[in-house]
Amino acid sequence: MIRISCLDVATLSEERCAEILNLLSEERRRRAERYLNGNDRALCIGAGYLLDCALKERGKSERDACYRFGAHGKPYLADGTFCFNLSHSGTLAVLAVGESEIGIDVEKVRPVSESLEKRVCSEREQAYLAKCGAGREEEFFRIWTAKESVMKYDGRGLLLPFREIEAIPTARGLTARFGGAELGIKEFAVRGFRGSVCAEEDCAETVQELCL
């Protein structure tokens, strides 16, 4: 069963960031310290905290974690404790954990340009969005996050062109089509954000919101 957790880092102070950072692995600390922007740094630390919480449920910790990386940089726990994938947008970090490959993406719903829609969406997706009226922006991010979750599930990320993946929302939900296959997408919404998970496993119905 895929479990999703999230953390809003908006109220995370510099002092609290430093405290959490000391609990995390050297790999995560190095990554966080490369960020000059405070929000980006907090998101990196928050993502590490989410992973640490998931590992502690198994009697382990992120501080002691060792990672390996796929051919295109997708991270895995070297000991195979579980599969995971992370994403963040705005001030929200999200984590998906399961027993098999996962891809997760989250985006803050916001205005988008027509040129971005054309770059991301197929002609059928553009035709769908044209009928959405006031809900167009939210529907765009349903499609966007579905595509990105497929890219991350696959492991090649942005090396896959957006328009090679098609995701048309229907009354029954959303299914992504890529390379002749249909991939199930679990959608979620949190505090003005839209998110999607691509995985073979079933997904928990609720998102666990963590507080610091």
Coordinates of all heavy atoms in Angstrom, one line a residue, residues 66-100:
C66 N 21.9 4.8 3.5 CA 22.8 4.8 2.4 C 21.9 4.8 1.1 O 20.9 4.1 1.1 CB 23.8 3.7 2.4 SG 24.9 3.7 3.7
Y67 N 22.3 5.5 0.1 CA 21.5 5.6 -1.1 C 22.3 5.0 -2.3 O 23.5 5.0 -2.4 CB 21.2 7.0 -1.4 CG 20.3 7.7 -0.3 CD1 20.9 8.4 0.7 CD2 18.9 7.6 -0.4 CE1 20.1 8.9 1.7 CE2 18.1 8.1 0.6 CZ 18.7 8.8 1.7 OH 18.0 9.4 2.7
R68 N 21.5 4.5 -3.2 CA 22.0 4.2 -4.6 C 21.1 5.0 -5.6 O 20.1 5.4 -5.2 CB 22.0 2.7 -4.9 CG 20.6 2.0 -4.8 CD 20.7 0.5 -5.1 NE 19.4 -0.1 -5.0 CZ 18.5 -0.2 -6.0 NH1 18.9 0.3 -7.2 NH2 17.4 -0.8 -5.9
F69 N 21.6 5.1 -6.8 CA 20.9 5.9 -7.8 C 20.7 5.2 -9.1 O 21.7 4.5 -9.5 CB 21.6 7.2 -8.0 CG 21.7 8.1 -6.7 CD1 22.8 7.9 -5.8 CD2 20.8 9.0 -6.4 CE1 22.9 8.6 -4.7 CE2 20.8 9.7 -5.2 CZ 21.9 9.5 -4.3
G70 N 19.6 5.3 -9.7 CA 19.3 4.7 -11.0 C 20.1 5.4 -12.1 O 20.8 6.3 -11.8
A71 N 20.0 4.8 -13.3 CA 20.8 5.3 -14.4 C 20.6 6.8 -14.6 O 21.5 7.5 -15.1 CB 20.5 4.5 -15.6
H72 N 19.5 7.4 -14.3 CA 19.2 8.8 -14.5 C 19.0 9.6 -13.2 O 18.4 10.6 -13.2 CB 17.9 8.9 -15.4 CG 18.1 8.2 -16.7 ND1 18.9 8.7 -17.8 CD2 17.6 7.0 -17.2 CE1 18.8 7.9 -18.8 NE2 18.0 6.8 -18.5
G73 N 19.6 9.0 -12.1 CA 19.6 9.7 -10.9 C 18.5 9.5 -9.9 O 18.5 10.1 -8.8
K74 N 17.6 8.6 -10.2 CA 16.5 8.4 -9.2 C 17.0 7.7 -8.0 O 17.7 6.7 -8.1 CB 15.4 7.5 -9.9 CG 14.2 7.3 -9.0 CD 13.1 6.5 -9.7 CE 11.9 6.3 -8.8 NZ 10.7 5.6 -9.5
P75 N 16.8 8.2 -6.8 CA 17.3 7.7 -5.6 C 16.6 6.5 -5.0 O 15.3 6.4 -5.1 CB 17.3 8.8 -4.6 CG 16.1 9.6 -5.0 CD 16.0 9.5 -6.5
Y76 N 17.3 5.5 -4.4 CA 16.7 4.4 -3.8 C 17.5 4.2 -2.4 O 18.7 4.6 -2.3 CB 16.9 3.1 -4.6 CG 16.2 3.1 -5.9 CD1 16.8 3.7 -7.1 CD2 14.9 2.6 -6.1 CE1 16.2 3.7 -8.3 CE2 14.3 2.6 -7.3 CZ 14.9 3.2 -8.4 OH 14.3 3.2 -9.6
L77 N 16.8 3.6 -1.5 CA 17.6 3.1 -0.3 C 18.4 1.9 -0.6 O 17.9 0.9 -1.2 CB 16.6 2.8 0.8 CG 15.8 4.0 1.4 CD1 14.7 3.5 2.3 CD2 16.7 4.9 2.2
A78 N 19.7 1.9 -0.3 CA 20.6 0.8 -0.7 C 20.2 -0.5 -0.1 O 20.4 -1.5 -0.7 CB 22.0 1.2 -0.3
D79 N 19.5 -0.5 1.1 CA 19.2 -1.7 1.8 C 17.8 -2.2 1.4 O 17.3 -3.2 1.9 CB 19.3 -1.6 3.3 CG 18.3 -0.6 3.9 OD1 17.5 0.0 3.1 OD2 18.3 -0.4 5.1
G80 N 17.1 -1.4 0.5 CA 15.8 -1.9 0.0 C 14.7 -1.9 1.1 O 13.7 -2.6 0.9
T81 N 14.8 -1.1 2.1 CA 13.8 -1.0 3.2 C 12.4 -0.8 2.6 O 11.4 -1.4 2.9 CB 14.1 0.1 4.2 OG1 15.4 -0.2 4.8 CG2 13.0 0.1 5.3
F82 N 12.3 0.2 1.7 CA 11.1 0.4 0.9 C 11.5 1.3 -0.3 O 12.6 1.8 -0.4 CB 10.0 1.1 1.7 CG 10.5 2.3 2.5 CD1 10.9 3.5 1.9 CD2 10.4 2.3 3.9 CE1 11.3 4.6 2.7 CE2 10.8 3.4 4.7 CZ 11.2 4.5 4.0
C83 N 10.6 1.4 -1.3 CA 10.8 2.3 -2.4 C 10.1 3.7 -2.0 O 9.2 3.7 -1.2 CB 10.1 1.8 -3.6 SG 10.9 0.4 -4.3
F84 N 10.7 4.8 -2.5 CA 10.2 6.1 -2.1 C 10.4 7.1 -3.3 O 11.2 6.8 -4.2 CB 10.8 6.6 -0.8 CG 12.2 7.1 -1.1 CD1 12.5 8.4 -1.3 CD2 13.3 6.2 -1.0 CE1 13.8 8.9 -1.5 CE2 14.6 6.7 -1.2 CZ 14.9 8.0 -1.5
N85 N 9.6 8.1 -3.2 CA 9.8 9.2 -4.2 C 9.4 10.5 -3.5 O 8.4 10.5 -2.7 CB 9.1 9.0 -5.4 CG 9.6 9.8 -6.6 OD1 8.9 10.4 -7.4 ND2 10.9 9.8 -6.8
L86 N 10.1 11.6 -3.7 CA 9.8 12.9 -3.1 C 9.5 13.9 -4.2 O 10.0 13.9 -5.3 CB 11.1 13.3 -2.3 CG 11.4 12.6 -1.0 CD1 12.9 12.7 -0.7 CD2 10.6 13.1 0.1
S87 N 8.8 15.0 -3.8 CA 8.5 16.1 -4.6 C 8.3 17.3 -3.7 O 8.0 17.2 -2.5 CB 7.3 15.8 -5.5 OG 7.1 16.9 -6.4
H88 N 8.4 18.5 -4.3 CA 8.0 19.7 -3.5 C 7.6 20.8 -4.5 O 8.0 20.9 -5.7 CB 9.2 20.2 -2.6 CG 10.5 20.3 -3.3 ND1 10.7 21.4 -4.1 CD2 11.6 19.6 -3.2 CE1 12.0 21.3 -4.5 NE2 12.5 20.2 -4.0
S89 N 6.9 21.8 -4.0 CA 6.4 22.9 -4.7 C 6.0 24.0 -3.7 O 5.4 23.7 -2.7 CB 5.2 22.6 -5.6 OG 4.7 23.7 -6.3
G90 N 6.3 25.2 -4.0 CA 5.9 26.3 -3.1 C 6.6 26.0 -1.7 O 7.8 26.0 -1.6
T91 N 5.8 25.8 -0.7 CA 6.4 25.5 0.6 C 6.0 24.1 1.1 O 6.2 23.7 2.2 CB 5.8 26.5 1.7 OG1 4.4 26.4 1.8 CG2 6.2 27.9 1.4
L92 N 5.5 23.2 0.2 CA 5.1 21.9 0.5 C 6.0 20.8 0.0 O 6.3 20.8 -1.2 CB 3.7 21.7 -0.1 CG 2.9 20.4 0.5 CD1 2.5 20.7 1.9 CD2 1.8 20.1 -0.4
A93 N 6.5 19.9 0.9 CA 7.2 18.8 0.5 C 6.3 17.5 0.7 O 5.6 17.5 1.6 CB 8.5 18.6 1.4
V94 N 6.4 16.6 -0.2 CA 5.6 15.4 -0.2 C 6.5 14.1 -0.4 O 7.5 14.2 -1.1 CB 4.5 15.4 -1.2 CG1 3.5 16.5 -0.9 CG2 5.0 15.5 -2.6
L95 N 6.1 13.0 0.2 CA 6.8 11.8 0.2 C 5.8 10.7 -0.1 O 4.7 10.6 0.5 CB 7.5 11.5 1.5 CG 8.0 10.0 1.7 CD1 9.3 9.8 0.8 CD2 8.3 9.8 3.2
A96 N 6.1 9.8 -1.0 CA 5.3 8.5 -1.3 C 6.2 7.4 -1.0 O 7.4 7.3 -1.4 CB 4.8 8.5 -2.7
V97 N 5.7 6.4 -0.2 CA 6.5 5.2 0.2 C 5.7 4.0 -0.1 O 4.4 3.9 0.1 CB 6.7 5.3 1.8 CG1 7.2 3.9 2.3 CG2 7.7 6.3 2.1
G98 N 6.3 2.9 -0.6 CA 5.7 1.7 -1.0 C 6.7 0.6 -1.1 O 7.9 0.7 -0.8
E99 N 6.2 -0.6 -1.6 CA 7.1 -1.7 -1.8 C 7.6 -1.9 -3.2 O 8.4 -2.8 -3.5 CB 6.3 -3.0 -1.4 CG 5.8 -3.0 0.0 CD 6.9 -2.7 1.1 OE1 8.0 -3.3 0.9 OE2 6.7 -1.9 2.0
S100 N 7.1 -1.0 -4.2 CA 7.6 -1.1 -5.6 C 7.7 0.3 -6.1 O 7.5 1.3 -5.4 CB 6.6 -2.0 -6.4 OG 5.3 -1.4 -6.3

